[in-house]
Amino acid sequence: MTDIGISMNDQEFQILSSLVYDKYGIHLVPEKRTMIAVRLQKTLRNLDLPTFTMYYKYLLADTNGDALTEFVNRITTNHTFFYRENEHFDFLVRRALPDILGKLQQERNHDVRVWSAGCSSGEEPYTLAMLMLEYFGSQYGMWDVGVLATDISEKVLKIARTGVYSNERIASLPATLRSKYFHQITEDDWEISKQVKGEVLFRRFNLMNEQFPFKKPFHVIFCRNVMIYFDQPTRDALIEKFYHALTPGGYLFVGHSETLGRSHTLFEYIMPAVYKRCT
Ligand SMILES: C[S@@+](CC[C@H](N)C(=O)[O-])C[C@H]1O[C@@H](n2cnc3c(N)ncnc32)[C@H](O)[C@@H]1O
């Protein structure tokens, strides 16, 4: 076995995984034990804590939430990239937006609300904002379009707000979007334009919160590659909350390896990983 420094025994893994499940809905399978221990080594060393039992006690004594934030920052997987699962974006532009806007026009409503739930370092919501700008073109100003982007991890939100990405991270973006909405700031780094940044509101938000605090419903929710970390009851409860957070006929996009399971009756299946809220 690899030397991971401070080791984590079964009981320690169990108490820490129960904590992360209760607070964030994240289900850590026992196979993840070594990986979690490795990811937390630096934190324990910085805190001068010799065991994971002491680290657990330290987390329980956390009064302002900083220790728990650092904990979740370390254990979450934030892998993402621009234009990920691009069929979703094509579907959004070709089918979902015309459908949504048709209804909004009938209601004389100009408010288009999009939520990237579990946005990681911003690639997904920025992709959405660029596509909306492209879609509306010169008509953009006539619509009140906004992308809300939330995540539990402050660490990734900080990167997202900065809006700077390496060559490698923007490689999957179509060249037209890159040249229009990015400028190169160093040999390796690109910054997203102020215009796109201004269209996305980043907030820390735990999807496990009992109540979603949004005053108005969304027309589109992207929650992709987030529910893979949750068990089925947690997913079902979340999908029900998404149902209530969407307008009737609104669209829910999940990751390609995710399905809705039991809650499927609340949504009409449209295509792999795309669902529409039943009325
Ligand atoms: C793999 S990333 C997905 C990013 C993007 N949606 C995509 O598909 O590329 C999963 C994100 O979900 C976030 N996450 C996990 N549990 C969460 C929770 N309970 N509330 C909010 N965000 C959570 C993680 O911090 C992480 O940034």
Side-chain angles (χ1 to χ4, degrees), residues 243 247-250 264-269 276-279:
Y243 173 84
T247 189
H264 208 121
T265 51
L266 300 174
F267 288 87
E268 181 192 345
Y269 170 87
K276 189 171 178 174
R277 192 195 124 143
C278 300
T279 45

Side-chain angles (χ1 to χ4, degrees), residues 83-84 86-93 127-128 131 224:
Y83 235 68
R84 181 178 198 180
N86 59 7
E87 313 81 74
H88 282 161
F89 299 110
D90 294 341
F91 177 85
L92 178 75
V93 170
T127 302
L128 289 166
L131 290 178
R224 305 184 309 161

